[in-house]
Amino acid sequence: MIGSLFSMSSLLRLIPSHRILFRASIVTCLFIIQIFWTRPTFSHPNPSSDIMRYGSQNSCPQSAIADDILVVLRTGATEALKKVPTHFRTTLRCVPHHVVYSDLEETIEGHHVYDMLDEVDDEIKRTHPDFRLYNHLKIHGREGLDSQESLQMGDGTGGTGNLKNPGWALDKWKFLPMIDKALQHRPEAKWFVFIEPDTYLIWPNLLEYLARFNPSEPYYMGKHMYIDEILFGYGGAGIVLSKPAMQKVSEHRMARLAEYDQFTAEHWAGDCVLGKALDDAGVPLFVAFPHLQGDAPAALDPKTTKRGRTAWCHPAITYHHVHPQEVEDLSAFEQKWYLTNNTLLRYGDIFKYYIQPQLSASRSNWDNLSGDEYSKRTLDALTDREKVNLFREEKYAPYSFKHCRALCRRRRSCLQFSYSQGRCFISGTVRLGYEGSSNQRERIRSGWMLGRIGEFVQEMDRTCDGVEDWFLS
Ligand SMILES: *[C@@H]1O[C@H](CO)[C@@H](O)[C@H](O)[C@H]1NC(C)=O
Ligand SMILES: CC(=O)N[C@H]1CO[C@H](CO)[C@@H](O)[C@@H]1O
């Protein structure tokens, strides 16, 4: 596919260089030829002849800019073995240049993993409590983790950071050093893409997106987030920096190392520290939402809008909070998509072809993420007569899954519900959710109003008429 996708992309570059102009004129000719040779229904910059090239088993998208990108996977020793190997087989499979940065130097499935903290000030490493895990790993290596349970609770990265988690405490120190490490690792790269083990990256869509920007401009792309007054790119959604942005922030920090060490020590989120340094260096955040996402497909509200932008009609580049098994599943789905479809994979497609088939009228041991607590209060507040009317039953029995469904059915806006131990939750948004925790006495059971969801999908699809794929500003 992606060959001519990128021909289009080159044409659309904001400030094309001579080389690109030359290339663009050749590909324009090829593109025009292709238009006449492909089916008349061709409506997307993605002709089927190229899909074939992408599509043969295990092949990867062909793109002029793939070699210009370095993908950096940032991890920590406490989570790396559990989460990183999956990425070599899935999200990184087609990425020609990638590197894994951690807090322990080691080899994982034949890939060298670098210690990103080796150049942090020695005094800080010796004295700051955040480095307890790091120093322990330095002396005892990975084997030392087994003996130190207190050091390895939880994961090493991730947005829902637990401050008491030593892996998380250390993680924030990696963001600024990783800029210099990545620049040294691949100085010829024009784009640097930073992801985490819980990030799912759709590589063909990233290529297609970045081809639309001029990499000689300083770009700091991310999913917007605020802590206090600082606007920054949320780490779990992936952060994209052009080389000029990398150089600017690196030079700015080098001149004020102690100042940023101090700021890092006092702050709790590394992505925010990076955002602050970039802003100080004169590189503001470019909001790449909705293309970069902070939620997993199973948890994302398909109606989410931020700054008036709904994700549904737009191509997805990342998801976050995606567990290794879901990374595998999504990767299989993504490959299948590009084998058979000749349009870019969008959030709406992922909902319709990946999420929706997993919804059912009733699913046991399943937590639907219906969080509308008020429904329980609603039930409690009803008189016995109202309960009888509502549930159309002779006698009001203790709440049950059936009652919960009846309540959902009665409310036109309700799309899903879940029931557990006398508690009914209903929701006007539709999410797949996750398996329930099995330690509950009575397992959670969830249900979806499939007919209403079908109508909802049609309604959402109608909003896509005439909508551009990408937000470029
Ligand atoms: C696109 O891919 C999905 C998922 O693999 C598949 O269900 C659908 O039939 C494909 N559509 C076309 C037009 O090939
Ligand atoms: C029945 C039930 O437990 N439902 C759950 C649905 O999801 C919300 C939000 O995660 C939970 O609070 C509910 O407990």
Short mmCIF file of all heavy atoms in Angstrom, two decimals, residues 1-2 5 44-46 204-205 208 212 315 337-338 342-346 349 469-470:
data_model
loop_
_atom_site.label_atom_id
_atom_site.label_comp_id
_atom_site.label_asym_id
_atom_site.label_seq_id
_atom_site.Cartn_x
_atom_site.Cartn_y
_atom_site.Cartn_z
N MET A 1 0.84 -1.17 0.00
CA MET A 1 0.00 0.00 0.00
C MET A 1 0.85 1.19 0.00
O MET A 1 0.79 2.03 -0.86
CB MET A 1 -0.87 0.04 1.25
CG MET A 1 -0.12 0.21 2.51
SD MET A 1 -1.14 0.46 3.87
CE MET A 1 -0.37 1.68 4.66
N ILE A 2 1.77 1.14 0.88
CA ILE A 2 2.15 2.41 1.43
C ILE A 2 2.99 3.18 0.43
O ILE A 2 3.04 4.39 0.51
CB ILE A 2 2.83 2.13 2.76
CG1 ILE A 2 1.79 1.53 3.65
CG2 ILE A 2 3.46 3.29 3.34
CD1 ILE A 2 1.11 2.31 4.60
N LEU A 5 0.81 5.72 -0.99
CA LEU A 5 0.37 6.57 0.08
C LEU A 5 1.40 7.64 0.28
O LEU A 5 1.12 8.79 0.48
CB LEU A 5 0.33 5.75 1.37
CG LEU A 5 -1.01 5.61 1.95
CD1 LEU A 5 -1.62 4.37 1.39
CD2 LEU A 5 -0.92 5.49 3.40
N HIS A 44 -9.37 6.44 -2.20
CA HIS A 44 -8.46 6.71 -1.11
C HIS A 44 -7.05 6.74 -1.67
O HIS A 44 -6.78 6.05 -2.65
CB HIS A 44 -8.57 5.56 -0.10
CG HIS A 44 -8.73 6.06 1.28
ND1 HIS A 44 -7.69 6.20 2.14
CD2 HIS A 44 -9.85 6.44 1.95
CE1 HIS A 44 -8.13 6.67 3.28
NE2 HIS A 44 -9.43 6.83 3.20
N PRO A 45 -6.15 7.49 -1.08
CA PRO A 45 -4.78 7.51 -1.60
C PRO A 45 -4.07 6.21 -1.27
O PRO A 45 -3.03 6.20 -0.67
CB PRO A 45 -4.15 8.69 -0.86
CG PRO A 45 -4.90 8.79 0.40
CD PRO A 45 -6.30 8.35 0.09
N ASN A 46 -4.66 5.13 -1.64
CA ASN A 46 -4.17 3.85 -1.15
C ASN A 46 -4.54 2.72 -2.11
O ASN A 46 -5.28 1.81 -1.76
CB ASN A 46 -4.84 3.62 0.21
CG ASN A 46 -4.01 2.74 1.09
OD1 ASN A 46 -3.05 2.15 0.60
ND2 ASN A 46 -4.38 2.63 2.35
N PRO A 204 2.14 1.47 10.03
CA PRO A 204 1.78 2.02 8.72
C PRO A 204 1.12 3.39 8.84
O PRO A 204 1.35 4.27 8.02
CB PRO A 204 0.80 1.01 8.13
CG PRO A 204 0.96 -0.22 8.93
CD PRO A 204 1.50 0.15 10.27
N ASN A 205 0.30 3.58 9.87
CA ASN A 205 -0.39 4.86 10.04
C ASN A 205 0.57 5.95 10.50
O ASN A 205 0.43 7.11 10.11
CB ASN A 205 -1.56 4.71 11.03
CG ASN A 205 -2.71 3.90 10.45
OD1 ASN A 205 -2.59 3.34 9.37
ND2 ASN A 205 -3.81 3.84 11.17
N GLU A 208 2.42 7.13 7.45
CA GLU A 208 1.52 7.94 6.62
C GLU A 208 1.36 9.36 7.21
O GLU A 208 1.34 10.35 6.48
CB GLU A 208 0.19 7.21 6.53
CG GLU A 208 -0.94 7.95 5.92
CD GLU A 208 -0.71 8.33 4.47
OE1 GLU A 208 0.30 7.88 3.89
OE2 GLU A 208 -1.52 9.09 3.94
N ARG A 212 3.58 13.71 6.18
CA ARG A 212 2.90 14.97 5.89
C ARG A 212 3.55 16.18 6.55
O ARG A 212 3.08 17.29 6.40
CB ARG A 212 1.43 14.88 6.34
CG ARG A 212 0.63 13.97 5.44
CD ARG A 212 -0.72 13.62 6.02
NE ARG A 212 -1.67 13.31 4.98
CZ ARG A 212 -1.69 12.20 4.28
NH1 ARG A 212 -0.79 11.26 4.51
NH2 ARG A 212 -2.59 12.00 3.34
N PRO A 315 -7.59 8.09 11.54
CA PRO A 315 -6.68 6.96 11.70
C PRO A 315 -6.05 6.95 13.09
O PRO A 315 -5.69 8.00 13.63
CB PRO A 315 -5.62 7.19 10.62
CG PRO A 315 -6.25 8.12 9.63
CD PRO A 315 -7.16 8.99 10.44
N TRP A 337 -6.23 -6.53 8.52
CA TRP A 337 -6.85 -5.35 7.94
C TRP A 337 -6.11 -4.93 6.67
O TRP A 337 -6.70 -4.73 5.62
CB TRP A 337 -6.86 -4.19 8.95
CG TRP A 337 -7.43 -2.94 8.37
CD1 TRP A 337 -6.74 -1.95 7.73
CD2 TRP A 337 -8.80 -2.57 8.30
NE1 TRP A 337 -7.60 -0.97 7.29
CE2 TRP A 337 -8.88 -1.34 7.63
CE3 TRP A 337 -9.99 -3.17 8.75
CZ2 TRP A 337 -10.08 -0.68 7.39
CZ3 TRP A 337 -11.18 -2.50 8.52
CH2 TRP A 337 -11.21 -1.29 7.85
N TYR A 338 -4.79 -4.80 6.78
CA TYR A 338 -4.04 -4.31 5.63
C TYR A 338 -3.86 -5.38 4.54
O TYR A 338 -3.44 -5.06 3.44
CB TYR A 338 -2.71 -3.69 6.08
CG TYR A 338 -2.93 -2.27 6.59
CD1 TYR A 338 -2.66 -1.91 7.90
CD2 TYR A 338 -3.45 -1.31 5.75
CE1 TYR A 338 -2.89 -0.62 8.36
CE2 TYR A 338 -3.70 -0.01 6.20
CZ TYR A 338 -3.41 0.32 7.49
OH TYR A 338 -3.66 1.60 7.94
N ASN A 342 -8.19 -1.55 1.61
CA ASN A 342 -7.29 -0.55 1.02
C ASN A 342 -7.58 0.86 1.54
O ASN A 342 -7.42 1.83 0.84
CB ASN A 342 -7.31 -0.61 -0.51
CG ASN A 342 -8.69 -0.32 -1.04
OD1 ASN A 342 -9.62 -0.14 -0.27
ND2 ASN A 342 -8.82 -0.26 -2.36
N THR A 343 -8.02 0.93 2.79
CA THR A 343 -8.14 2.23 3.44
C THR A 343 -7.39 2.18 4.77
O THR A 343 -7.18 1.11 5.32
CB THR A 343 -9.61 2.61 3.73
OG1 THR A 343 -10.19 1.58 4.51
CG2 THR A 343 -10.39 2.80 2.45
N LEU A 344 -7.00 3.34 5.24
CA LEU A 344 -6.29 3.42 6.51
C LEU A 344 -7.18 2.93 7.65
O LEU A 344 -8.39 3.14 7.64
CB LEU A 344 -5.89 4.86 6.80
CG LEU A 344 -4.80 5.44 5.90
CD1 LEU A 344 -4.69 6.94 6.13
CD2 LEU A 344 -3.48 4.77 6.20
N LEU A 345 -6.56 2.28 8.60
CA LEU A 345 -7.28 1.79 9.77
C LEU A 345 -7.61 2.96 10.70
O LEU A 345 -6.72 3.66 11.17
CB LEU A 345 -6.38 0.77 10.49
CG LEU A 345 -6.91 -0.03 11.65
CD1 LEU A 345 -8.19 -0.74 11.28
CD2 LEU A 345 -5.85 -1.04 12.09
N ARG A 346 -8.91 3.17 10.94
CA ARG A 346 -9.35 4.28 11.79
C ARG A 346 -9.92 3.74 13.10
O ARG A 346 -10.26 2.57 13.20
CB ARG A 346 -10.45 5.08 11.10
CG ARG A 346 -10.05 5.59 9.75
CD ARG A 346 -11.29 6.11 9.07
NE ARG A 346 -11.06 6.33 7.66
CZ ARG A 346 -11.65 7.28 6.95
NH1 ARG A 346 -12.51 8.08 7.53
NH2 ARG A 346 -11.39 7.41 5.69
N ASP A 349 -13.05 1.90 12.59
CA ASP A 349 -12.86 0.55 12.06
C ASP A 349 -12.49 -0.42 13.17
O ASP A 349 -12.95 -1.56 13.20
CB ASP A 349 -11.72 0.54 11.03
CG ASP A 349 -12.02 1.42 9.83
OD1 ASP A 349 -13.19 1.42 9.39
OD2 ASP A 349 -11.11 2.11 9.34
N ASP A 469 -8.87 12.69 6.72
CA ASP A 469 -8.24 11.69 7.58
C ASP A 469 -7.48 12.30 8.76
O ASP A 469 -7.60 11.89 9.89
CB ASP A 469 -7.25 10.84 6.78
CG ASP A 469 -7.96 9.73 6.02
OD1 ASP A 469 -9.07 9.37 6.41
OD2 ASP A 469 -7.38 9.23 5.04
N TRP A 470 -6.66 13.29 8.41
CA TRP A 470 -5.67 13.75 9.39
C TRP A 470 -5.92 15.18 9.85
O TRP A 470 -6.27 16.04 9.06
CB TRP A 470 -4.27 13.69 8.79
CG TRP A 470 -3.86 12.34 8.32
CD1 TRP A 470 -3.81 11.92 7.02
CD2 TRP A 470 -3.44 11.23 9.11
NE1 TRP A 470 -3.38 10.62 6.97
CE2 TRP A 470 -3.14 10.17 8.23
CE3 TRP A 470 -3.29 11.03 10.48
CZ2 TRP A 470 -2.71 8.93 8.68
CZ3 TRP A 470 -2.85 9.79 10.93
CH2 TRP A 470 -2.56 8.76 10.03
#
